[in-house]
Amino acid sequence: MLFYGEELRSRLMLGTAQYDSPSILADAVREGNPGLVTVSLRREAAGAMAGQAFWELIKAFGIPVLPNTAGCHTVKEAVTTAHMAREVFDTDWVKLEVIGQGDLLQPDVFALVEAARILTEDGFKVFPYTTEDLVVAERLLRAGCEVLMPWGAPIGSGRGLNNLFGLRAMRGHFPGIPMVVDAGIGRPSHAVAAFELGFDAILINTAVAKAGDPVTMARAFRLACEIGLDAFAADPMPERDMAVPSTPTLGKAMLDA
């Protein structure tokens, strides 16, 4: 699967926030072997890993960087942050977040579409963090987005895929659009489920960074991505409402009473 014309080495996308130390982050990236890492300009600029040392660590991974506009609540904030990130990280890729609701960190889809339009006109390749709403998805595609990133559940909740019907409908309605399940994935089994629905990648952060053993969890997610992709490619059997015997009755020996 190509994302804006580029093929990633892995379908796992890994966030870089909340790790207890730079060394744990580095080990998690090595074990997870993600296709890209995401970085928040606003948060890293104000956090403990701020500055050149953090950027040198990210560059040392040798994999693509996807800056994000985490913490932005307006179109102006998001657009300004995206432009700053392009200068700092030397990429026109951006994960676009415009948060509209504080408790659930739900995207403000109206501002999201407007910010996406502005940024694509400015030459950005936008990865929009959105809901599974089909109308919003249509608007984002019309605004110039070539990737969609619906949430599985609220950011950091670890609840997995809250709306299977909505996610399945979204995947089916836009069969040729690269899609990444972003936010809410808490366990490797959630990742497998996302790939079994036909999604092309997952983006996780808290599930790895705040695990008891982030490095082992990163490896588990790497394997889950491989398993989920294989399962989808194998064309799983359909669900049935009735039991079907796995052993056929034809050809069985018949004993007279």
Side-chain angles (χ1 to χ4, degrees), residues 120-212:
T120 54
E121 289 177 355
D122 286 342
F124 284 87
K125 296 177 173 65
V126 177
F127 291 68
Y129 166 61
T130 184
T131 65
E132 67 276 21
D133 188 291
L134 299 184
V135 176
V136 174
E138 289 275 13
R139 298 290 176 84
L140 287 168
L141 295 175
R142 290 179 198 166
C145 298
E146 297 180 17
V147 175
L148 295 172
M149 300 183 77
W151 64 351
I155 294 172
S157 68
R159 295 177 59 86
L161 308 182
N162 267 357
N163 184 358
L164 286 174
F165 175 82
L167 289 169
R168 186 180 293 111
M170 190 176 193
R171 177 67 282 181
H173 195 71
F174 305 101
I177 301 299
M179 288 192 194
V180 183
V181 175
D182 176 21
I185 290 179
R187 301 183 182 188
S189 57
H190 299 158
V192 173
F195 285 110
E196 288 180 342
L197 286 178
F199 284 86
D200 302 296
I202 61 165
L203 197 161
I204 54 174
N205 190 165
T206 309
V208 171
K210 290 307 177 185

Side-chain angles (χ1 to χ4, degrees), residues 252-257:
K252 290 180 64 176
M254 301 296 291
L255 300 177
D256 293 330

